[in-house]
Amino acid sequence: MDPAPRVKMADVARTAGVSVATVSKVVNGRYGVAAATLSRVQEVIEELGYEASLGARSLRSHRTNVLGILVAEFEPYSTELLKGASAAVGATGYELLAYSGGGAGGSVGWERRYLSRLAGTLIDGAVIVTPTVVEAHPGVPVVAVDPHTGPSGLPTVDADSFAGAVLATEHLLGLGHTRVAFLGGRPDLESARLREDGFRHAMAAAGVPVDEDLVRVGGYRPETADQPANELLARPEPPSAVFAANDLSAIRVVEVARSLGLRVPEDLSVIGFDNVPESALATPPLTTISQPLQQMGAEALRLLVDLIDGRERGVHVRLPTELVERASTAPPRDR
């Protein structure tokens, strides 16, 4: 079936029985249109579903009233942020465009390429999720969520990764675990470094030495967490608990444990970080540290609108994290 043709301004004019110039005045909010004619043209616009193209809108006003949320890829973390931004945009008068370059998003500098394609003609500003390069981007206002290098030149929204990691580690220690493994995130991310710092801080505060043989890089992805999880759990003296730096890695640890004949939480306790929806649906449901991901997305969008509209705001918003206790953690067997 052929796609329906795009409704043009001339179609609106013909149906309403007015000139194209009159329709243009209505669309652009200009004066000189009688009330009855204005009402009739607006009815036809609604009836036909007419919408000016973003490019044409930008050429006329230098504004598109569209905000972008740019991600390297759509995965659970960025999807939750997008939900929050989407919920918040309705009160702003802006529309929201979610954009990913797919497979091209994994390399350093992906956000520069995305911005160069969209800025100025399609979007008035952008929220960029975990950008690799934090610097001022000319052309449009930009807000970063959890940038790789931490808060820097751009307005930034993130969650308290250090405090969250302390909570996670203290939870395992409080259950009686002393052989606690840490499966870290990506080495290039500041949030991953803070989670490891929080883990080490809590262990030191409890007087429990960190066994460096039980510290591995998981990379935040199930496929990159698989091998280090196997290495940790197949050791002659495996850990009794694993703190994984994100939920997707933690869920893979549970799967690896099951493949090795270990029961969670009877033989191994596992805690994650993020509280993406998948964590509650895991078997068993995953104990985790909750980042307020949807709130972070909403806050980033509101900060961006304030920047565009010239309202002064603090340039760094850090939101709290909290423990969500479910069924994947329990006291060790020998306690």
Side-chain angles (χ1 to χ4, degrees), residues 224-247:
T224 55
D226 188 83
Q227 181 176 336
N230 271 283
E231 292 172 356
L232 287 171
L233 301 185
R235 294 177 57 83
E237 294 184 34
S240 65
V242 177
F243 169 25
N246 77 335
D247 287 342

Side-chain angles (χ1 to χ4, degrees), residues 44-55:
V44 172
I45 287 173
E46 184 71 21
E47 176 187 330
L48 297 183
Y50 170 77
E51 176 63 50
S53 71
L54 293 180

Side-chain angles (χ1 to χ4, degrees), residues 157-182:
V157 176
D158 60 18
D160 197 336
S161 286
F162 179 87
V166 170
L167 283 174
T169 310
E170 287 179 343
H171 172 68
L172 296 175
L173 292 168
L175 290 172
H177 294 279
T178 55
R179 284 191 59 74
V180 180
F182 179 73

Side-chain angles (χ1 to χ4, degrees), residues 290-312:
S290 177
Q291 295 193 76
L293 296 176
Q294 294 192 22
Q295 184 184 350
M296 289 165 64
E299 188 62 35
L301 185 125
R302 287 190 287 263
L303 178 55
L304 179 61
V305 171
D306 286 344
L307 285 172
I308 293 171
D309 293 345
R311 290 187 289 270
E312 291 293 328

